[in-house]
Amino acid sequence: MEFVQWHPTALIPSGILISEAARAEGAYLVNREGERFMKRYAPQQMELAPRDVVSRAIAMECKAGRGFMWKGKLCYVGLDIRHLDPSRVKERLPLLLETVKTYAGIDPFSELIPVAPAVHYFMGVIHTDLHGRVLDPYGNWIKGLWAAGEVAAVSVHGANRLGSNSLSECAVWGRIAGEAAAKYALENRSGAVEEYIRAIAEEEERRILYVLGRRETGGIPAAHVKSASQKVVTKGAGIFRNAESTAEAIAELVKLMNNFRNININDTSRIYNMELREVIELDGMLQAAYALLLGAYLRTESRGAHYRIDYPKRDDKHWLRHTIVYKYGDSFIAAYQPVKIEGWPPEMRQY
Amino acid sequence: MKYKISVRRFRDGVQFVQTYIIEAPPTTTVLDALINIREDLDGTVAFRYACRMGVCGVCAVKVNGRPVLACTTKLGDLGSHEIYIEPIQDKNIIKDLVVDI
């Protein structure tokens, strides 16, 4: 869970992605001084360096005070397409032009596009095997359960996904998991499920109906807990991490998890209840955030998207392994599994 | 800028119009205004949205009588501080602005 990919160029302030295609077509990234700062971080690849490198570079420029400020609170840099041929841009990047005009209200042929890194993709999440089957912490398949796409950690991406690979992941494992699930369903037509799975499902249903039936007044709005948790995780395990920041964030997050118990829900209807869905999502979000922070705190090295200021080097001797976080009662437990390397051992990353 | 946003609501077979007053810059989209209403004023108002960037079409609603995408329509471009939001036409309404698509 600790490997979170930041996309370097999200539009300010909406957070809508400005595709890598812009930089592939030759767009520059510039700081407030008009300097193509990537020359300091990746002199060969420049703007086309991997996402984690570019995101860290932008964050470094901001730390050094060379970024622009949006409303005095959000640091960003400029994406410059002014030197590109407008007719080619119109042909190759129509969505970019439309998005920038609608959501930033600027003309990218005469002004810089304001961009900053934004959380984009989770390399980890649900532990699965190569067939997309969901595994428990001991490596046993949880019968009848598959995961595919971003939510699954098949481990094709390692600690750092390359652009577009999520699409192939969806296509490949979507098919593998889909076919396997269909086959399983055909072979198990009786609909009988194992007793313990039925018990879990019933418990979950009771939990949700309990939330729906509370009908309390007062309490804390879910949106507040959500925005507070976003701040906590960004601060504790954002682009740069260290032992102190992640430990503090864990403590803060535990407080929010306690607040979550006092969340108020106004909509008690059983039809298209957005509020209930948001509260259930928030519950999952808080637990995922805990797993993320715990993994980031324990991993005392830097690898791919996980960058620890206090441990800036990759440490294959100790850390060539997967973090598996699972719940035991109300406690979160972190376990580790070795990474199986077949064919291509990881090399030194140099830019 | 102050906006008076009226939402045509429908729940449990009952239709009514509910009005909210919000304070927002004119660059705010209709979708963001609805999200603000949900988060700050009334968590029970329901609508659909997904991509938030004018691609998927799920947030289509009628604003001041015209069918639009809530996420690409800005409050300041509507030419009025009074905004009336209703579900798109000719679809069965499931709840509030959510129709059977």
Side-chain angles (χ1 to χ4, degrees), chain A residues 30 79-84 86 89-90 96-97 100-101 105-114:
Chain A
V30 295
L79 184 69
D80 194 352
I81 65 160
R82 292 174 298 185
H83 56 288
L84 302 179
V89 172
K90 278 175 197 153
L96 175 140
L97 294 178
V100 169
K101 191 169 154 253
I106 63 162
D107 170 21
F109 293 120
S110 61
E111 293 164 277
L112 291 174
I113 304 169

Side-chain angles (χ1 to χ4, degrees), chain A residues 69-253:
Chain A
M69 284 307 267
W70 183 80
K71 291 196 172 171
K73 53 183 178 186
L74 193 56
C75 178
Y76 67 91
V77 295
L79 184 69
D80 194 352
I81 65 160
R82 292 174 298 185
H83 56 288
L84 302 179
D85 172 19
S87 60
R88 190 173 164 84
V89 172
K90 278 175 197 153
E91 186 198 323
R92 304 293 295 259
L93 306 166
L95 185 65
L96 175 140
L97 294 178
E98 216 177 292
T99 309
V100 169
K101 191 169 154 253
T102 312
Y103 296 100
I106 63 162
D107 170 21
F109 293 120
S110 61
E111 293 164 277
L112 291 174
I113 304 169
V115 292
V119 169
H120 182 51
Y121 184 93
F122 287 75
M123 268 68 79
V125 197
I126 300 174
H127 185 36
T128 73
D129 65 9
L130 258 183
H131 310 284
R133 296 184 298 198
V134 175
L135 305 178
D136 71 11
Y138 313 103
N140 304 313
W141 180 38
I142 299 171
K143 263 193 189 165
L145 197 58
W146 287 263
E150 181 173 353
V151 78
V154 191
S155 298
V156 278
H157 305 304
N160 207 11
R161 182 181 68 95
L162 291 176
S164 302
N165 272 0
S166 55
L167 193 64
S168 27
E169 177 186 22
C170 271
V172 173
W173 273 277
R175 177 166 181 170
I176 293 172
E179 283 177 353
K183 190 163 170 271
Y184 182 86
L186 280 172
E187 285 165 1
N188 295 276
R189 276 169 180 271
S190 69
V193 284
E194 286 183 42
E195 224 19 72
Y196 82 101
I197 292 177
R198 186 189 297 278
I200 295 170
E202 280 171 4
E203 172 58 31
E204 186 65 9
E205 200 177 336
R206 265 197 301 276
R207 197 175 67 94
I208 290 167
L209 292 179
Y210 170 73
V211 173
L212 207 54
R214 276 202 303 211
R215 265 191 187 284
E216 283 166 17
T217 51
I220 307 164
H224 292 189
V225 178
K226 184 179 165 185
S227 62
S229 69
Q230 286 169 331
K231 282 192 193 114
V232 163
V233 181
T234 308
K235 202 168 153 226
I239 297 177
F240 296 112
R241 300 148 173 200
N242 64 52
E244 216 185 339
S245 74
T246 42
E248 270 172 27
I250 289 173
E252 288 292 316
L253 190 72

Side-chain angles (χ1 to χ4, degrees), chain A residues 1-3 127 153-156 158 299 319-325 334-340:
Chain A
M1 274 303 288
E2 62 269 34
F3 299 108
H127 185 36
V154 191
S155 298
V156 278
R299 186 174 285 272
W319 284 109
L320 204 51
R321 44 188 195 156
H322 301 283
T323 313
I324 316 269
V325 178
Y336 291 92
Q337 275 188 5
V339 175
K340 268 181 252 155

Side-chain angles (χ1 to χ4, degrees), chain B residues 2-92:
Chain B
K2 204 169 253 182
Y3 292 95
K4 186 175 155 190
I5 298 188
S6 303
V7 180
R8 196 173 98 201
R9 305 193 57 181
F10 175 84
R11 49 182 55 220
D12 308 324
V14 183
Q15 231 181 92
F16 55 99
V17 173
Q18 192 153 4
T19 300
Y20 307 93
I21 309 287
I22 66 158
E23 189 70 39
T27 50
T28 309
T29 62
V30 170
L31 177 62
D32 283 334
L34 285 170
I35 292 173
N36 289 350
I37 289 172
R38 275 191 59 74
E39 290 187 350
D40 298 333
L41 301 174
D42 182 358
T44 69
V45 54
F47 47 89
R48 283 187 211 266
Y49 64 96
C51 79
R52 297 175 177 219
M53 55 182 290
V55 177
C56 73
V58 162
C59 66
V61 285
K62 264 170 87 180
V63 174
N64 291 350
R66 271 181 353 114
V68 296
L69 292 183
C71 69
T72 57
T73 309
K74 285 185 232 166
L75 300 183
D77 293 343
L78 293 169
S80 167
H81 286 207
E82 296 200 7
I83 293 160
Y84 183 65
I85 309 175
E86 56 192 318
I88 49 172
Q89 262 170 7
D90 303 330
K91 300 272 180 200
N92 286 332

Side-chain angles (χ1 to χ4, degrees), chain A residues 15-34:
Chain A
I16 292 171
L17 279 196
I18 300 297
S19 162
E20 230 119 49
R23 278 170 290 142
E25 289 295 325
Y28 298 151
L29 280 170
V30 295
N31 61 19
R32 201 174 47 170
E33 289 152 14

